[in-house]
Amino acid sequence: MTLSISTPSLLSSSRFNPLIFSRRRRSIRLSQWHFNVIKPRFFAVAAAENGGLPKSFDFTSEERIYNWWESQGYFKPNCEQEGDPFVISMPPPNVTGSLHMGHAMFVTLEVVGSSNGLFRESGKFDIANCGYFILDCIPIVDAELVVDDIMVRYHRMKGRPTLWLPGTDHAGIATQLVVERMLASEGIKRVELSRDEFTKRVWEWKEKYGGTITNQIKRLGASCDWTRERFTLDDQLSRAVIEAFIRLHEKGLIYQGSYMVNWSPSLQTAVSDLEVEYSEEPGTLYHIKYRVAGSNDFLTVATTRPETLFGDVAIAVNPKDDRYAKYIGMMAIVPMTYGRHVPILSDKHVDKEFGTGVLKISPGHDHSDYLLARKLGLPILNVMNKDGTLNDVAGLYCGLDRFEARKKLWSELEETGLAVKKVPHTLRVPRSQRGGEVIEPLVSKQWFVTMEPLAEKALRAVEKGELAIMPERFEKIYNHWLSNIKDWCISRQLWWGHRIPVWYIVGKDCEEEYMVARDADEALEKAREKYGKNVEVYQDPDVLDTWFSSALWPFSTLGWPDVSTEDFKKFYPTTMLETGHDILFFWVARMVMMGIEFTGTVPFSYVYLHGLIRDSQGRKMSKTLGNVIDPLDTIKEFGTDALRFTLALGTAGQDLNLSTERLTSNKAFTNKLWNAGKFVLQNLPSQSDKSAWETILAYKFDKEGSLHGAPLPESWLVSKLHMLIDTVTASYEKFFFGEVGRETYDFFWSDYADWYIEASKARLYHSGRDSEALLAQAALPRQKEALIVSSWPQTSLPRNLNSIKRFENLQALTRAIRNARAEYSVEPARRISASIVANEDVIQYISKEKEVLALLSRLDLQHIHFTESPPGDANQSVHLVASEGLEAYLPLADMVDISAEVQRLSKRLSKMRLEYEGLVARLSSPKFIEKAPEDVVRGVQEKAAEAEEKINLTKNRLAFLQSTVLTTTDNPFKEQAAP
């Protein structure tokens, strides 16, 4: 492998071989796969000349390498390339955010994608301080940024104009909360500032801290085009939001009305259904008496929220509930309301089994009650202020917080005898995703989007195959949600965000008289046309739901509504949307609906959904559990590559358990890559040895003849590499990124590092033949330019299946000899003799690799014999069967001191028998069998069976050793009876 450096700033303090690392050399045309390794006597390598490379991989220079990549423009799409563009819009993280494992996941999958040619080298690259060397050697595969980077790099290498467009979301609620808290620390409340003053402070905060998440994403190695970075409040994106609102309103799909919404009292805004999380929590059912008017009877109501009784407009029972049939049509008196009467109704949806079977209907404070009241034509009564306190409808409870009012009300119900009992009850509590507070169902005037006609088109897109969702099982969830979709409440009572482009007429009913316009001037002009010159207008104070602007992201970031921009024409529709399955409805479905509505096209062809990152025990990461793993801390300890590779080995849509053990293992893998690269660099020809370089460059392993004419190890390795290229390419095309990682890992660690690098040392260090050394150097991949912009290798390259089978035989023989050495505890430095027995054909190709076999098996090169029949001393040798028709005989005397080993095994056998007899004695005791727990008895039985097996193995070995001793001397040992 060789590395080409063209940037002096990357050279650090290292001096590089000017022949290897020059611009001039990079002009040489090479075949797809070349290899450069050399004997120690050829050493003139840059690193060697500079005193050697570090012993282990130093990942601290990752940022420097990344910055250099970016500075070279490698992340920008090459529009001169032919073919359809590959485009991903990065899911925009909140501008308030900091990195978490979900981001690490989407970086990985959107980022990596370079596999095989394991050491296909990054031409503009400082191996001595190799930052993303690992990223460039393997596919870092499978969770958000991780997934995206895999796909982006793969298609970039495939020669497609590739754009990964990044950006951040203004995150209306989250950002406003952050700034309000900052102001509070200064003793300032938001309401003490004007709207303009507050938004100015938010922009100041954004300029100072808003780039944090972007810098952290860069630290994860995301190869996106940062020159195209977008922010949802950029002028152009804001123009797109206004245009979308106006077009939807013109089609009658946006309307204003008072409806039940999820209200956040602390945030003072409505929140989406999707932003409400329900948790099972311990609570109480309060049983309260409602007197039946005109009688002495009472109906007992069971409720979890007694404070809402001030908003009761009816009592309902099931028409088939015989307990209450006689009361239907009568009136009930609401407690603590000075005698307010409400009707007693019947409805089949009342659950007879829940509580007492009597339902209080409070349509202003419960979603189900609201729908029931609308069906029955009941009035809506609101008893709560926007801050969660009770209003004047609650009488003496006016001004009390909802939970404080609950306690006081119950106490007074007890005093008046209207309280029956309190019963523990598990509640399904709605909480805000943003602040965690209990959400209050509240009727409020808001802006809504009619979703049904939009949803129909989004459903058809999947049905017709215009959009594929992976894993496929999520299609059912997508279809179910869109088939049962509710209208979308898009207004938020905030100051930070896209102001709703609606203006009202001063002095007019704002629900009837309003202007939808692109700006204040246009609104005023429209108002004057209708109401005269002296009319005054004011803008709606609310802002749009953040998800409204995010729904436009795939096309607003490319210039829409100006569809004539080069970016829009070139890169829309995008190709892939990769994100977590938890925002399939928040974002993905809404982008599909808006994309079809405004562009006539599905905004992306594929949706790839990754799972959640969990801790080693499979638990969701949370501050409460104290199991949150910070990606940046992980990077400091293990490196970016180890983290990304760990995340990459998951499966689409499935959660991934992240453990220190996995990270440690993959850190070792990155170090293995480093050491392999270091080995290659330390075995390069001298710069003056032009003849060696000419020979190396002459090898063409992508040609059938050259591959079949190569020696066995080289033919085997390149054949396996060519097969790997086909396998991982197919896996990439099917989005099986986890398989890519595993396949590449196996090839590199096992085939390349454990076998070929070790085998190559026979040529480099021991053969004494320059031609063989040069050939070995031609089997270590190299390529001239930076991998991140290099070409993906060709598929269907030649492979020699016969060489693969033959080398596997050589491997089997090596393993058998290694196992025998281990079994007899032969010292690693000790060289032993061997007789290899096989037919003529096998002997012919095995004997050609005599030096490799000797090196890998630690055999005495001068005493390896190849024969078609067993040797004369076969009865004094260890007989090994490596594969069918391939055997080996290892003289026992070469491996052990036979007499000493016989004595050692005899003592060991005696000890093993004593232990076995003790176990048998326990199992023979009726008391033990009867009184000991079943699992304890089973454990002793298993130990006894294992001990018996070990005794038999030891006896067999001892018998073999004794028979060997008997061939030369009398045997002083006698075989003992079997247990």
Side-chain angles (χ1 to χ4, degrees), residues 265-532:
S266 67
L267 298 174
Q268 294 279 291
T269 182
V271 295
S272 165
D273 289 345
L274 299 176
E275 294 172 300
V276 178
E277 294 181 339
Y278 290 87
S279 59
E280 300 290 326
E281 300 178 18
T284 304
L285 261 182
Y286 299 86
H287 291 244
I288 304 170
K289 291 181 179 179
Y290 281 60
R291 185 170 180 172
V292 179
S295 77
N296 293 322
D297 293 346
F298 289 89
L299 292 181
T300 300
V301 171
T303 179
T304 59
R305 297 195 299 157
E307 69 277 6
T308 63
L309 64 76
F310 299 107
D312 289 353
V313 297
I315 298 293
V317 298
N318 192 293
K320 295 183 179 181
D321 194 334
D322 295 337
R323 295 173 295 176
Y324 309 117
K326 65 181 180 179
Y327 299 115
I328 297 172
M330 300 178 69
M331 303 293 284
I333 302 173
V334 180
M336 313 304 287
T337 61
Y338 304 102
R340 186 162 63 84
H341 288 43
V342 296
I344 302 173
L345 309 173
S346 66
D347 190 274
K348 63 181 180 180
H349 294 100
V350 176
D351 186 353
K352 295 190 295 182
E353 306 302 323
F354 179 77
T356 63
V358 181
L359 175 70
K360 61 186 284 297
I361 301 177
S362 310
H365 302 279
D366 182 272
H367 288 283
S368 298
D369 289 2
Y370 177 76
L371 295 175
L372 186 57
R374 292 185 65 180
K375 183 179 75 170
L376 298 175
L378 297 172
I380 308 296
L381 190 58
N382 176 32
V383 302
M384 203 166 293
N385 297 312
K386 297 294 181 67
D387 62 358
T389 61
L390 272 59
N391 61 26
D392 54 7
V393 174
L396 295 176
Y397 295 86
C398 178
L400 291 179
D401 174 76
R402 51 185 169 159
F403 300 118
E404 183 183 350
R406 180 181 301 175
K407 293 178 182 178
K408 182 179 180 183
L409 176 61
W410 181 252
S411 176
E412 296 187 359
L413 285 169
E414 288 180 317
E415 291 177 6
T416 58
L418 295 176
V420 179
K421 62 180 178 179
K422 290 195 300 185
V423 180
H425 177 69
T426 300
L427 302 178
R428 188 167 178 263
V429 180
R431 290 189 177 274
S432 167
Q433 277 189 341
R434 303 296 182 184
E437 67 167 335
V438 176
I439 288 296
E440 188 65 39
L442 206 64
V443 174
S444 175
K445 188 178 75 173
Q446 304 287 341
W447 288 94
F448 295 85
V449 176
T450 302
M451 300 302 289
E452 188 174 346
L454 301 175
E456 287 177 0
K457 296 176 183 177
L459 282 166
R460 284 201 299 272
V462 171
E463 182 183 338
K464 292 162 61 177
E466 296 171 353
L467 174 65
I469 300 176
M470 300 169 288
E472 190 175 341
R473 68 179 185 273
F474 284 102
E475 282 190 12
K476 292 183 179 178
I477 301 172
Y478 171 92
N479 290 339
H480 181 267
W481 184 72
L482 287 176
S483 299
N484 298 276
I485 198 167
K486 298 178 182 178
D487 286 356
W488 177 13
C489 175
I490 58 171
S491 50
R492 297 292 180 265
Q493 289 65 52
L494 302 171
W495 283 358
W496 172 248
H498 294 103
R499 192 91 172 260
I500 289 178
V502 169
W503 281 260
Y504 302 110
I505 312 301
V506 174
K508 299 286 185 180
D509 184 341
C510 61
E511 291 193 13
E512 300 294 334
E513 305 290 343
Y514 62 83
M515 303 290 168
V516 176
R518 289 171 177 79
D519 53 41
D521 291 341
E522 183 182 328
L524 184 59
E525 184 179 344
K526 286 184 175 182
R528 285 175 174 171
E529 289 177 2
K530 188 172 182 179
Y531 299 103

Side-chain angles (χ1 to χ4, degrees), residues 614-904:
R614 298 183 179 274
D615 70 7
S616 58
Q617 300 176 43
R619 301 174 301 175
K620 191 173 181 179
M621 293 185 188
S622 71
K623 292 180 181 178
T624 304
L625 292 174
N627 62 347
V628 175
I629 301 176
D630 187 323
L632 295 184
D633 290 341
T634 305
I635 286 171
K636 289 177 184 177
E637 183 175 357
F638 298 98
T640 302
D641 298 324
L643 170 61
R644 286 167 46 130
F645 192 69
T646 301
L647 297 177
L649 292 174
T651 302
Q654 295 185 9
D655 293 352
L656 176 71
N657 295 354
L658 186 64
S659 66
T660 300
E661 290 74 19
R662 286 189 177 190
L663 291 165
T664 300
S665 173
N666 289 321
K667 181 180 179 181
F669 178 54
T670 62
N671 201 57
K672 187 82 169 179
L673 281 162
W674 165 262
N675 286 326
K678 185 169 64 173
F679 172 83
V680 173
L681 284 176
Q682 290 174 338
N683 287 278
L684 294 174
S686 164
Q687 64 178 17
S688 60
D689 196 342
K690 297 181 179 179
S691 174
W693 284 103
E694 288 174 357
T695 302
I696 289 171
L697 296 175
Y699 288 109
K700 306 290 184 184
F701 283 114
D702 56 348
K703 305 298 181 185
E704 192 84 28
S706 297
L707 182 62
H708 283 267
L712 182 58
E714 285 70 29
S715 181
W716 164 78
L717 177 73
V718 176
S719 295
K720 291 294 292 285
L721 177 60
H722 290 172
M723 292 170 69
L724 176 73
I725 294 169
D726 290 356
T727 301
V728 298
T729 302
S731 293
Y732 270 124
E733 295 298 328
K734 296 174 183 176
F735 306 101
F736 294 167
F737 304 121
E739 288 302 309
V740 174
R742 285 181 282 274
E743 291 157 357
T744 307
Y745 180 102
D746 290 343
F747 172 83
F748 168 75
W749 196 297
S750 179
D751 295 341
Y752 183 76
D754 285 355
W755 284 98
Y756 184 72
I757 282 184
E758 294 305 311
S760 72
K761 293 175 183 177
R763 312 252 199 261
L764 301 172
Y765 304 159
H766 305 297
S767 72
R769 295 184 291 275
D770 289 354
S771 60
E772 291 188 2
L774 291 170
L775 185 61
Q777 293 160 22
L780 299 173
R782 59 177 295 281
Q783 202 167 348
K784 66 177 182 176
E785 55 186 331
L787 182 71
I788 200 167
V789 290
S790 64
S791 298
W792 186 258
Q794 299 174 24
T795 54
S796 301
L797 291 169
R799 71 281 317 269
N800 188 336
L801 299 181
N802 197 36
S803 291
I804 293 175
K805 183 177 180 181
R806 289 179 172 184
F807 195 82
E808 286 174 351
N809 275 343
L810 180 62
Q811 288 175 304
L813 179 60
T814 300
R815 290 191 186 100
I817 296 172
R818 287 174 173 176
N819 290 341
R821 290 179 64 102
E823 187 177 354
Y824 285 91
S825 302
V826 181
E827 300 92 337
R830 189 170 184 173
R831 296 292 187 265
I832 61 176
S833 305
S835 293
I836 311 302
V837 180
N839 61 41
E840 182 179 357
D841 178 60
V842 175
I843 288 176
Q844 184 177 13
Y845 68 76
I846 292 288
S847 62
K848 286 183 179 179
E849 301 306 328
K850 180 179 179 180
E851 291 179 347
V852 172
L853 178 63
L855 177 65
L856 297 181
S857 306
R858 297 186 178 275
L859 300 178
D860 184 344
L861 185 61
Q862 305 306 318
H863 293 86
I864 303 177
H865 306 287
F866 297 92
T867 175
E868 294 184 37
S869 58
D873 59 351
N875 62 340
Q876 300 176 43
S877 301
V878 176
H879 178 211
L880 308 174
V881 178
S883 61
E884 186 177 353
L886 179 59
E887 304 173 19
Y889 290 85
L890 308 180
L892 195 58
D894 274 16
M895 298 196 290
V896 294
D897 181 328
I898 298 177
S899 297
E901 185 68 5
V902 167
Q903 292 179 10
R904 186 184 72 82

Side-chain angles (χ1 to χ4, degrees), residues 584-623:
L584 178 61
F585 312 131
F586 276 108
W587 192 45
V588 179
R590 287 169 174 168
M591 283 190 290
V592 175
M593 288 185 278
M594 294 301 186
I596 296 172
E597 174 65 22
F598 294 122
T599 71
T601 307
V602 177
F604 27 74
S605 301
Y606 303 95
V607 174
Y608 185 102
L609 301 170
H610 67 254
L612 304 178
I613 307 297
R614 298 183 179 274
D615 70 7
S616 58
Q617 300 176 43
R619 301 174 301 175
K620 191 173 181 179
M621 293 185 188
S622 71
K623 292 180 181 178

Side-chain angles (χ1 to χ4, degrees), residues 23-56:
R23 291 180 181 272
R24 179 173 172 269
R25 184 181 161 271
R26 281 172 38 220
S27 65
I28 300 174
R29 298 296 298 173
L30 307 176
S31 66
Q32 185 68 40
W33 303 109
H34 279 314
F35 307 119
N36 308 335
V37 184
I38 205 65
K39 303 178 182 180
R41 55 196 167 91
F42 281 178
F43 277 7
V45 187
E49 291 175 348
N50 196 45
L53 293 170
K55 292 183 178 179
S56 60

